[in-house]
Amino acid sequence: MQFATQLLFFAGSWLASGAQWPQEPHLPYNSPVDLRVQPALQNVQQQFQQKPAVEQRPELTWRYPVMPVEQRNLAPEFTLRQPAVPETVRVECGEQVVQVLVKKDLMGIGQLILGSDILLGNCPPSEELLDAQVLVFKYPLHSCGSQLRMTEDAFIYQFTLLYTPSAVGGSPIVRTQDASISIECHYPRNQEVSSSPVKPTWVPFIAVEASEESLHFSLTLMTDDWQFERPSAQYLLGDQLNIEASVAQFHHVPLRVFVDHCVATLIPNTNTVPRYTFLDNFGCLMDGVLTGSSSHILPRGRDDKLRIQLEAFRFQQESSGVIYITCSLRATTAAEPVGATSKACSFSRSWREASGFHNQCSCCETSCGSGGAMAQPLGQQWESEKVVGPIGVDQRPLK
């Protein structure tokens, strides 16, 4: 302990006298030590410079598949047919009575009118010729709201034949049009009798046409030969609407398309009134049952297309003649069997299924959406809602 104290005292005295600790010898860059270390450092630096800090990877070039753009295949030459004026009304003017003969096919399109829908002024048909399908009006000249007009050369009795179609089969649609036909009986001063031509009312209307994963559904108006998309969506009462539902399958296995439900409306909104559901119950075309029309689904030529022929119609008491058709489309794999909820049925004397499985239509007039496992779609399926329109359905000219 005493030695340590003496040693500290000696060290303090020595430092106080201005003495310094010895310095490390300064080595120049060209000293032997430096010459031995420098090559090693250079080798290490070269190795780091030659080896990249991050390994370069090839650029990622894969992109998510883009849906192909469907090209519209319009008919190269298309001309709207000019409607023929039917001769369905004949007038016979007698000395005291007028007789008007009206064919029940008043429009000349195969749609028979009801006797309760037509009046001569305020007079109903006086007789119906069942075999000839003719309604007869036979009344005195001064009855049925006639008006007498006199000119320098003749007495003229004027009548108006009024036809107002009632809705078809309890539905909100009509397939004939309102008509107001002026009838005149001319009686010259020399007692010769003649009848003037019948003059119809005619209001024309012009209108224009209207996936999940990598499926593309479409609902298209087609030409009469089904080869092209119809360039015009203008029709006349009595025409057939050729509607093709299709699915483009691109990267998928073969598919079969179905139309589960279709409704017609005045605007592209299925929740509006009036509306007419002409296809329902998982693929049952009900128009033939409800209205007695010739509407039907054509036999399938391909699984990915379904073709529907629908008789043109208008909504009762709607002057525009415009309709929109909204359909629910569904696709299944072509290997899935046709069943109660995967079918395409239409009625023409009997129910027929487009693929030939007619027994699957037995539920069309009841309910196809319940009643066991066969009522449920099987396997994978895809759905889409499509709208076509506006479609213009014009009235036909009457002579």
Side-chain angles (χ1 to χ4, degrees), residues 197-218:
V198 177
K199 303 174 183 178
T201 56
W202 175 245
V203 181
F205 176 81
I206 298 176
V208 295
E209 180 221 20
S211 128
E212 293 190 26
E213 299 181 359
S214 56
L215 295 185
H216 178 76
F217 291 88
S218 63

Side-chain angles (χ1 to χ4, degrees), residues 129-160:
L129 306 179
L130 296 177
D131 293 339
Q133 294 186 336
V134 170
L135 299 173
V136 180
F137 297 85
K138 189 173 184 179
Y139 289 97
L141 290 171
H142 56 78
S143 62
C144 301
S146 66
Q147 294 182 352
L148 175 61
R149 182 166 56 90
M150 187 174 64
T151 67
E152 293 182 359
D153 300 325
F155 295 98
I156 302 173
Y157 285 89
Q158 296 178 317
F159 300 85
T160 302

Side-chain angles (χ1 to χ4, degrees), residues 61-74:
T61 59
W62 183 88
R63 297 291 185 271
Y64 193 82
V66 178
M67 177 75 69
V69 177
E70 184 182 22
Q71 299 296 325
R72 298 180 65 185
N73 187 22
L74 295 176

Side-chain angles (χ1 to χ4, degrees), residues 66-135:
V66 178
M67 177 75 69
V69 177
E70 184 182 22
Q71 299 296 325
R72 298 180 65 185
N73 187 22
L74 295 176
E77 296 182 2
F78 180 82
T79 303
L80 286 174
R81 294 192 299 268
Q82 296 300 316
V85 179
E87 296 183 359
T88 55
V89 178
R90 195 178 83 184
V91 181
E92 297 176 359
C93 298
E95 292 185 3
Q96 298 181 0
V97 300
V98 60
Q99 179 170 274
V100 182
L101 305 176
V102 181
K103 290 184 180 180
K104 295 187 70 175
D105 184 11
L106 178 63
M107 308 297 163
I109 58 176
Q111 294 289 335
L112 302 184
I113 67 173
L114 299 177
S116 57
D117 291 343
I118 190 168
L119 295 171
L120 181 65
N122 53 9
C123 298
S126 55
E127 185 182 359
E128 180 176 351
L129 306 179
L130 296 177
D131 293 339
Q133 294 186 336
V134 170
L135 299 173

Side-chain angles (χ1 to χ4, degrees), residues 1-12:
M1 182 65 179
Q2 184 178 1
F3 173 77
T5 302
Q6 293 176 353
L7 182 60
L8 288 173
F9 175 78
F10 172 78

Side-chain angles (χ1 to χ4, degrees), residues 56-333:
Q56 297 295 326
R57 296 182 180 181
E59 182 182 357
L60 182 62
T61 59
W62 183 88
R63 297 291 185 271
Y64 193 82
V66 178
M67 177 75 69
V69 177
E70 184 182 22
Q71 299 296 325
R72 298 180 65 185
N73 187 22
L74 295 176
E77 296 182 2
F78 180 82
T79 303
L80 286 174
R81 294 192 299 268
Q82 296 300 316
V85 179
E87 296 183 359
T88 55
V89 178
R90 195 178 83 184
V91 181
E92 297 176 359
C93 298
E95 292 185 3
Q96 298 181 0
V97 300
V98 60
Q99 179 170 274
V100 182
L101 305 176
V102 181
K103 290 184 180 180
K104 295 187 70 175
D105 184 11
L106 178 63
M107 308 297 163
I109 58 176
Q111 294 289 335
L112 302 184
I113 67 173
L114 299 177
S116 57
D117 291 343
I118 190 168
L119 295 171
L120 181 65
N122 53 9
C123 298
S126 55
E127 185 182 359
E128 180 176 351
L129 306 179
L130 296 177
D131 293 339
Q133 294 186 336
V134 170
L135 299 173
V136 180
F137 297 85
K138 189 173 184 179
Y139 289 97
L141 290 171
H142 56 78
S143 62
C144 301
S146 66
Q147 294 182 352
L148 175 61
R149 182 166 56 90
M150 187 174 64
T151 67
E152 293 182 359
D153 300 325
F155 295 98
I156 302 173
Y157 285 89
Q158 296 178 317
F159 300 85
T160 302
L161 188 67
L162 294 171
Y163 172 64
T164 305
S166 56
V168 184
S171 70
I173 69 166
V174 292
R175 285 199 163 92
T176 52
Q177 66 205 45
D178 292 0
S180 176
I181 302 172
S182 178
I183 295 174
E184 296 182 352
C185 285
H186 290 232
Y187 294 87
R189 298 287 177 103
N190 60 6
Q191 300 301 317
E192 292 181 359
V193 177
S194 65
S195 57
S196 65
V198 177
K199 303 174 183 178
T201 56
W202 175 245
V203 181
F205 176 81
I206 298 176
V208 295
E209 180 221 20
S211 128
E212 293 190 26
E213 299 181 359
S214 56
L215 295 185
H216 178 76
F217 291 88
S218 63
L219 191 67
T220 310
L221 296 174
M222 304 295 289
T223 53
D224 291 344
D225 59 5
W226 297 95
Q227 296 299 310
F228 303 97
E229 181 179 352
R230 198 175 194 266
S232 171
Q234 181 180 350
Y235 295 86
L236 295 170
L237 287 171
D239 288 347
Q240 296 280 352
L241 278 67
N242 291 338
I243 305 172
E244 183 178 83
S246 63
V247 59
Q249 44 204 54
F250 299 128
H251 311 297
H252 285 261
V253 296
L255 299 173
R256 182 183 291 124
V257 67
F258 296 95
V259 180
D260 288 340
H261 177 86
C262 285
V263 60
T265 52
L266 292 174
I267 60 175
N269 183 344
T270 58
N271 295 320
T272 57
V273 176
R275 61 176 175 265
Y276 175 47
T277 302
F278 60 87
L279 193 152
D280 202 8
N281 210 1
F282 294 97
C284 298
L285 181 61
M286 302 299 297
D287 188 59
V289 175
L290 296 174
T291 69
S293 73
S294 60
S295 301
H296 64 285
I297 300 175
L298 276 65
R300 282 191 191 270
R302 294 171 48 175
D303 284 333
D304 59 349
K305 295 182 183 293
L306 188 66
R307 292 172 171 175
I308 302 171
Q309 279 197 327
L310 178 68
E311 270 194 53
F313 60 85
R314 295 162 61 99
F315 281 103
Q316 186 183 26
Q317 299 179 349
E318 290 292 339
S319 60
S320 69
V322 173
I323 60 173
Y324 288 81
I325 293 176
T326 304
C327 294
S328 299
L329 277 59
R330 181 165 52 88
T332 66
T333 60

